[in-house]
Structures are given as structure tokens and as C-alpha cells.
Amino acid sequence: MEGGAVACPSNQCYVNKETYWCHIIYDDFNKRLRVEDYRGHLYEFIQYIEKEAKQKLYEKIIIKARFEHVPLFIEKGFINEGWIQGYFNGSDVYFLAKYLIAGRRQSDDWCKEDEIIHSIQSQTRYNDLSSLPDGFFMRKAEEKDAAELSGLYKTVFAVYPTPLQQMDYVLHILKSGTIFYVIEKDEQIVSAASAEVNETYHNAELTDCATLPEHRKHGFMKHLIYQLEMDLRKNGIFCAYSLARAKSFGMNAVFHQLGYQYAGRLTNNCYIYQELEDMNVWFKNLAYEQ
């Protein structure tokens, strides 16, 4: 007897069919269907997700695919946009995409973003951290910080792909195990970043990086990411990765300087900052890079 789709918290769904299983995320805000995991009959699985995406009038499908399945997905019209070494408990993941409308596939800023990456890669890598300036302190965030964190993200980002500008959402992810570190001055949070840990496959996405404009000259993000890396190592998480705005010279330079490898670009991936933007993929093996 064929199973059905089982609803999960928020916009997630675990789909159990007779011949395949998948974990998908319906992302209405970014007009995309994301496949976090899958197994079983791949042709039938692909038919299912394409039908779902078209019914929702989505513009893009993204699959986190295993290496051995990449040729099959390419055969079915998907393209490889990036990869992360060691994502699946040591095996690599590939970001495969299919575009359902032509406009979503076109990026007017692609050549400019290539120039940013080339410029960054020509720089010497260094990860020495100076001390924080006087009056600034770094600490791990607590649940009581949810309101102030949401205020920070509301100030920095006019648009963000997840509802970080809502206190209830920030509180939820803090309670769910997402690790936040913050830098504050005069008991006000001026910079923050987080690590979202995948307990199944033992990887972590470094994300939610934000600094108030008046404090960006201090290079706080390197301090925050370095501290998050230390926490991840202590918990046996060695695959760290991030998706950085391709237009942001500063954020991409931070990952390059901290030893991350550039590994592709996701076209028109999500609405962030002010508009739909391309996102660069960066990863690092924390077991070797310290």
C-alpha cells in the first residue's frame, strides 16, 4: 500500500511512497522547492518533485544530491551549481538545480561576481585574529537574546530568506540547537553569526552573519566564525560550509581568509538584503584547518 506525505513543522515535509522517500521544503517566499534528502526510485522521485514544484508555481528546484546520482539528474535536465566536501558523513554533496522559468536562470551580475571571486582568490590567506577593540565582548547567545537578535537582523537586512526578523522564530531555532555567537558593546548586540547543525549527517552551515553598519570596520565576522568553528570541533562536527552573497566582497573575503574553499555559485538562490541574489558556496574541513 502506497504511503503519503507526512506534514512536518513549518514548511517541511517527509514524503513516504511505495518506491521512494524524500525530505522536501516548500519555500514559498523564495519560490523554490528544496530537496534535503532522498532515497529509492529516482526517476519516480524526480517526477514527483517536478509535479509539486509546478503545482506551486515555483521557479526553481534544488536537490542536495550524492555524487553517484549526479549523471542521472543531469540526464533529467538538472545542472550542477556547487558542491560541499564531506557533507554526508564524509561523502560529498552536489547542489543540482532545475529552472522552471527562464528569468530565474538568468543572472545579470554573474560576470561582476566572477571578478569579485577572482580578486579575493588573488589575496594572501591569513587567519590571525587580533584582539577585539576595547569595549567589545564576544559571548554565546542565549534564549533571552532572541528579541535583540531579531532587531539586529531587521536593521541589517531589508529582506532575508528566513524569518529571522521575527523574535518567535529566533527563539525557536535557539531552542532547537542552532548555535549563535554575538559581539556586544555597552550591552548592545552589534554583530552575530550562527551555526545550524545537521545532526544526521554531521555538518554545519555557518549563516545569519550580520554586523551593524557603523561597526563593520572591526572585522567581527572572523572572530565569530572562528569561535563557531571551535564549538563545532568540540562536538565532532568537521564539515562546515556557508552560502555567501555573491555581491558581498567582505563576506566572501572572510571565508577565503579563514581557509574555506570556493565551490560554486547558486543562481538567483534566494531573496536576501534587498532582492533575489546569487549565493557563493564555501566549505572547510575543520579536522585539518585550525
Side-chain angles (χ1 to χ4, degrees):
M1 180 176 176
E2 184 177 81
V6 180
C8 294
S10 67
N11 55 351
Q12 299 190 60
C13 193
Y14 293 89
V15 179
N16 289 283
K17 298 291 185 178
E18 189 172 289
T19 57
Y20 61 87
W21 171 94
C22 60
H23 172 198
I24 60 179
I25 296 178
Y26 294 100
D27 189 346
D28 293 347
F29 180 74
N30 293 296
K31 300 178 182 178
R32 61 185 184 175
L33 182 77
R34 289 168 44 202
V35 179
E36 294 293 300
D37 205 356
Y38 63 89
R39 60 178 178 265
H41 196 301
L42 296 188
Y43 288 108
E44 294 183 5
F45 152 67
I46 291 170
Q47 288 179 343
Y48 174 81
I49 60 173
E50 289 183 345
K51 180 180 177 181
E52 288 290 292
K54 290 174 182 177
Q55 286 182 342
K56 297 279 286 184
L57 302 180
Y58 285 166
E59 299 171 353
K60 183 176 183 178
I61 300 171
I62 306 171
I63 298 177
K64 291 180 178 176
R66 290 163 175 79
F67 171 75
E68 60 269 26
H69 299 148
V70 170
L72 185 148
F73 284 116
I74 289 176
E75 176 191 339
K76 291 299 181 181
F78 287 79
I79 59 173
N80 180 29
E81 294 195 319
W83 69 292
I84 297 169
Q85 186 181 72
Y87 180 95
F88 291 117
N89 285 326
S91 297
D92 303 341
V93 70
Y94 293 80
F95 290 96
L96 300 185
K98 174 175 273 193
Y99 293 87
L100 304 179
I101 67 167
R104 186 73 178 240
R105 181 68 183 90
Q106 179 65 37
S107 171
D108 294 335
D109 297 311
W110 195 268
C111 292
K112 185 186 300 182
E113 292 163 356
D114 274 346
E115 292 175 3
I116 291 173
I117 285 295
H118 294 157
S119 175
I120 289 170
Q121 290 175 330
S122 68
Q123 297 180 353
T124 302
R125 281 182 166 166
Y126 63 92
N127 58 8
D128 294 334
L129 294 178
S130 57
S131 300
L132 290 173
D134 291 341
F136 292 90
F137 304 92
M138 182 168 58
R139 63 174 175 84
K140 196 171 187 176
E142 303 174 11
E143 292 178 12
K144 65 181 178 62
D145 298 311
E148 193 173 357
L149 280 168
S150 65
L152 171 70
Y153 292 112
K154 192 178 297 184
T155 300
V156 173
F157 296 103
V159 179
Y160 202 71
T162 59
L164 276 176
Q165 297 154 328
Q166 301 174 18
M167 185 196 73
D168 290 346
Y169 177 78
V170 176
L171 183 60
H172 167 71
I173 61 176
L174 278 166
K175 288 181 175 179
S176 300
T178 296
I179 306 166
F180 277 86
Y181 271 88
V182 301
I183 291 174
E184 57 184 6
K185 182 180 183 183
D186 299 327
E187 299 185 351
Q188 177 195 10
I189 294 174
V190 300
S191 186
S194 76
E196 184 178 333
V197 178
N198 184 322
E199 299 287 357
T200 301
Y201 291 116
H202 301 92
N203 61 61
E205 179 180 3
L206 300 177
T207 184
D208 306 331
C209 302
T211 302
L212 292 177
E214 61 268 30
H215 296 292
R216 288 177 185 165
K217 61 184 179 181
H218 299 300
F220 288 151
M221 206 49 60
K222 289 178 69 175
H223 289 267
L224 292 167
I225 292 172
Y226 183 78
Q227 185 60 55
L228 287 166
E229 290 178 350
M230 291 178 62
D231 274 32
L232 293 172
R233 285 194 196 93
K234 289 177 183 177
N235 290 285
I237 304 295
F238 302 111
C239 173
Y241 71 96
S242 188
L243 305 180
R245 294 176 54 233
K247 293 179 182 179
S248 172
F249 184 96
M251 265 322 304
N252 287 283
V254 164
F255 286 111
H256 173 73
Q257 290 169 3
L258 288 175
Y260 286 73
Q261 179 177 334
Y262 171 69
R265 187 175 309 145
L266 312 183
T267 306
N268 288 324
N269 186 64
C270 57
Y271 288 92
I272 186 170
Y273 198 64
Q274 294 180 328
E275 59 188 348
L276 190 63
E277 293 199 21
D278 304 331
M279 302 293 284
N280 287 336
V281 181
W282 296 88
F283 71 78
K284 181 177 180 179
N285 187 334
L286 300 181
Y288 298 99
E289 299 283 349
Q290 301 191 32

